[in-house]
Amino acid sequence: MRAFLFPGQGSQSVGMGAALADASRAAKDVFAEVDEALGQHLFRLMREGPEAELTLTENAQPAIMAHSIAVLRTLGLDLGAKADFVAGHSLGEYSALCAAGSFDLSTTALLLKKRGQAMQAAVPVGVGAMAALLGADLDKAQAIASAAAQGEVCTVANDNDPSQVVISGHRAAIERAIAVAKDHGAKRAVLLPVSAPFHCPLMQPAADLMAEALGDTDIKAPAVPLYANVIAAPVTDPDRIRELLVEQVTGMVRWRESIKEMRAAGVEEFVEIGGKVLGAMVKRIAPDARITSVVMMEDVEALAKEIA
């Protein structure tokens, strides 16, 4: 059994997709369609930068999705025939749903643009923060967050793998968490270079906006089940998918659990489309699983031969 995985924010880089677009008409068409849907030269920004502008949440989210879908369409495979599940990390859930046919490409780009803008606007710059707790599992991370909260928001945002958990909330609380992390058994705590505190209750205004946007969006049943971030379980019902995408804005990304559950369901191979971030996490969660990362044309050609 095989699952296709789609990366989230932080996997963007200047130059992403450029070589692929030069080599593949399918990829070029994806970038052109996204540009047209958004009414901006997003692919030029992906190709040339500047990095600071690409990193802006409202640009990074549709850019990462466009790159993943460009890789997938260059592969040219029937996802329904070659995959058993799809999953995406945070915004990657939208890429996964686009790949599985729940959203068309233009709709996905517009939703992610709106999601990025809503998440950025939910909390004034400087009020919130996020930190990675390294060498800490979920229990340790929750203890650190609880000790640091002191009446402010400080919660687990991403349970990434057994040795990396991300916390999110008010900046002062996150700074307190960093200060006490080692006392609670973490090896290290690192403030993340993000512009807003994602996946925590402070994102409720963004969740409300996405509820409105998704309420107006037609969602089709995916060709294969989606392992949803906030429940770490498969889902195919369009109305349930809509609910979970709204919950995901403030809820925890249960990535470690999702991979464990897919592995328990019989998945032997995880294919990361458009990045090399999730594969490393999967290796730490399920060391015996096979992991393939597909980013460049040579990766596409190798995988196409293997699963043709």
Side-chain angles (χ1 to χ4, degrees):
M1 291 177 72
R2 183 185 293 118
F4 279 61
L5 309 179
F6 297 83
Q9 207 156 329
S11 61
Q12 74 277 357
S13 61
V14 173
M16 64 192 294
L20 196 68
D22 290 341
S24 161
R25 181 57 195 245
K28 198 173 182 178
D29 287 347
V30 167
F31 297 131
E33 186 177 336
V34 169
D35 277 3
E36 186 176 348
L38 298 180
Q40 75 174 108
H41 296 295
L42 182 65
F43 184 52
R44 188 165 71 196
L45 180 59
M46 292 164 65
R47 187 190 276 271
E48 301 171 9
E51 187 175 357
E53 198 175 333
L54 178 61
T55 303
L56 291 174
T57 301
E58 66 175 87
N59 292 326
Q61 293 200 23
I64 291 163
M65 180 279 299
H67 185 232
S68 288
I69 300 303
V71 170
L72 188 69
R73 291 200 181 164
T74 300
L75 263 169
L77 51 80
D78 175 2
L79 196 76
K82 299 298 182 182
D84 297 281
F85 302 108
V86 291
H89 193 281
S90 190
L91 83 88
E93 200 152 84
Y94 286 78
S95 309
L97 287 164
C98 180
S102 290
F103 297 130
D104 63 41
L105 179 59
S106 294
T107 298
T108 313
L110 288 164
L111 284 169
L112 284 174
K113 185 78 174 176
K114 192 166 285 189
R115 183 178 183 268
Q117 290 170 335
M119 292 171 96
Q120 186 60 67
V123 180
V125 173
V127 170
M130 299 180 78
L133 304 177
L134 306 177
D137 60 14
L138 182 59
D139 288 343
K140 285 179 184 172
Q142 287 174 328
I144 291 165
S146 178
Q150 296 179 20
E152 292 188 307
V153 172
C154 188
T155 60
V156 172
N158 304 341
D159 179 16
N160 284 335
D161 66 45
S163 65
Q164 187 201 97
V165 180
V166 174
I167 55 172
S168 182
H170 285 107
R171 176 171 280 273
I174 297 299
E175 288 171 350
R176 287 192 293 270
I178 291 170
V180 302
K182 283 190 177 177
D183 298 339
H184 287 267
K187 285 183 183 169
R188 202 154 59 97
V190 182
L191 196 66
L192 294 179
V194 294
S195 53
F198 306 132
H199 300 292
C200 81
L202 294 177
M203 286 285 113
Q204 189 57 49
D208 295 341
L209 284 169
M210 290 313 295
E212 193 178 317
L214 287 159
D216 294 334
T217 302
D218 179 43
I219 303 178
K220 295 180 173 63
V224 295
L226 168 83
Y227 260 80
N229 285 178
V230 292
I231 58 170
V235 60
T236 55
D237 177 67
D239 289 333
R240 184 67 176 135
I241 288 169
R242 186 179 282 110
E243 290 170 5
L244 294 173
L245 287 174
V246 175
E247 285 180 32
Q248 186 229 60
V249 179
T250 56
M252 178 170 69
V253 175
R254 293 166 62 179
W255 190 252
R256 177 186 58 83
E257 284 179 78
S258 295
I259 298 300
K260 282 178 73 76
E261 290 298 322
M262 281 187 269
R263 190 74 188 89
V267 173
E268 295 170 323
E269 182 179 14
F270 293 90
V271 181
E272 182 178 2
I273 301 290
K276 297 197 174 184
V277 177
L278 302 179
M281 293 181 193
V282 173
K283 200 71 183 164
R284 292 189 286 268
I285 300 162
D288 57 339
R290 186 169 174 206
I291 297 151
T292 306
S293 294
V294 189
V295 179
M296 305 301 287
M297 197 65 197
E298 53 265 36
D299 305 327
V300 169
E301 289 166 350
L303 183 63
K305 274 183 200 167
E306 182 195 324
I307 65 174

